[in-house]
Amino acid sequence: MRPVGPVKAVLFDRDGTLVHDVPYNGDPERVRPVEGAREAVALLRARDIRVGVVTNQSGVARGLISGTDVRRVNRRIDDLLGPFDVWAICPHGPDDGCHCRKPQPGLVLWAAGRVCTDPADCVVVGDIGADTEAAARAGAHGILVPNARTRPEETEAAAHTAPDLLTAVRSLLDDPAPDGPALDGPAPDGPAPDGPAPDGPAPDAPHDGGACSGQRPATTAPAPSGGAPDPCRRPS
């Protein structure tokens, strides 16, 4: 699975990838970017590569944090590292059966549509196997940046890994090949692991129309309740 052109968008997992993981964090004052995060995001912006965040926030479904808490933390991350071009948030729990909670592809497809980019031209950077699996199911590319909570089997299964966030981003920008990003292993050429490929774009995630004006979109945060469209919503 090789991109047809240069990388056009990079979608980051939030907790454990862009910022240190504070379980079910609803306090903006506890947000701490990981080492190299500012430089990594700045390098992408300097190349006019769109940047976004795709994040599971099951604390909302569990009643541990509110949608407002999530948005306050996200605004703090925007203040420190952003602004990001798109925020895609799944507020559901692991047993809710939604199509967007990673490793399902919905968040990646929705975010790619919001920045008017084909998933094949997107890279998802995360710290657990669900992040890279969501990328594969969406037809995007994944880079795993392992940390203390990454299981060894997830690292072994990842097609592409990097020791830290900045190295992951530099591997994309220092691409010597004309047909895809410079990653540290061969891209898979078969179906996504442990699940069927998606059968179409996610609901509310068009690749054209109103969201694709050709301009860099305003930061968008699909809210668990109210506000911007929810990528988790299935059509009626």
Side-chain angles (χ1 to χ4, degrees):
M1 185 174 60
R2 301 292 292 174
V4 297
V7 173
K8 296 180 181 178
V10 176
L11 306 173
F12 296 95
D13 172 56
R14 196 188 84 172
D15 304 313
T17 300
L18 278 176
V19 298
H20 290 285
D21 187 17
V22 177
Y24 309 120
N25 183 28
D27 182 359
E29 296 304 315
R30 302 183 72 188
V31 171
R32 297 291 182 272
V34 303
E35 184 176 358
R38 288 187 184 89
E39 185 177 353
V41 177
L43 285 172
L44 293 169
R45 290 198 189 95
R47 300 288 188 93
D48 203 31
I49 295 172
R50 300 286 177 87
V51 289
V53 181
V54 287
T55 178
N56 291 348
Q57 294 297 322
S58 68
V60 176
R62 300 173 196 267
L64 301 173
I65 54 176
S66 68
T68 298
D69 293 331
V70 173
R71 290 189 289 274
R72 289 173 62 233
V73 169
N74 292 347
R75 282 195 293 269
R76 177 60 174 164
I77 296 172
D78 262 340
D79 290 342
L80 295 172
L81 302 175
F84 287 90
D85 297 309
V86 62
W87 284 85
I89 304 156
C90 175
H92 298 129
D95 299 323
D96 288 345
C98 73
H99 77 283
C100 59
R101 178 179 167 83
K102 294 177 291 183
Q104 296 301 319
L107 290 184
V108 176
L109 291 168
W110 191 90
R114 287 294 299 179
V115 295
C116 311
T117 301
D118 192 285
D121 297 324
C122 294
V123 174
V124 178
V125 181
D127 65 321
I128 61 174
D131 299 316
T132 53
E133 186 176 341
R137 291 185 177 193
H141 305 267
I143 303 180
L144 187 73
V145 181
N147 58 30
R149 74 170 185 155
T150 311
R151 297 195 301 268
E153 57 268 29
E154 293 175 324
T155 303
E156 292 172 5
H160 310 298
T161 63
D164 56 65
L165 190 63
L166 188 54
T167 299
V169 166
R170 284 175 171 162
S171 75
L172 302 174
L173 301 181
D174 297 335
D175 178 15
D179 63 344
L183 303 173
D184 67 347
D189 56 6
D194 299 325
D199 56 5
D204 299 327
H207 289 275
D208 54 18
C212 290
S213 63
Q215 303 296 319
R216 187 174 291 274
T219 300
T220 304
S225 59
D230 180 358
C232 305
R233 179 172 61 81
R234 293 185 181 278
S236 57

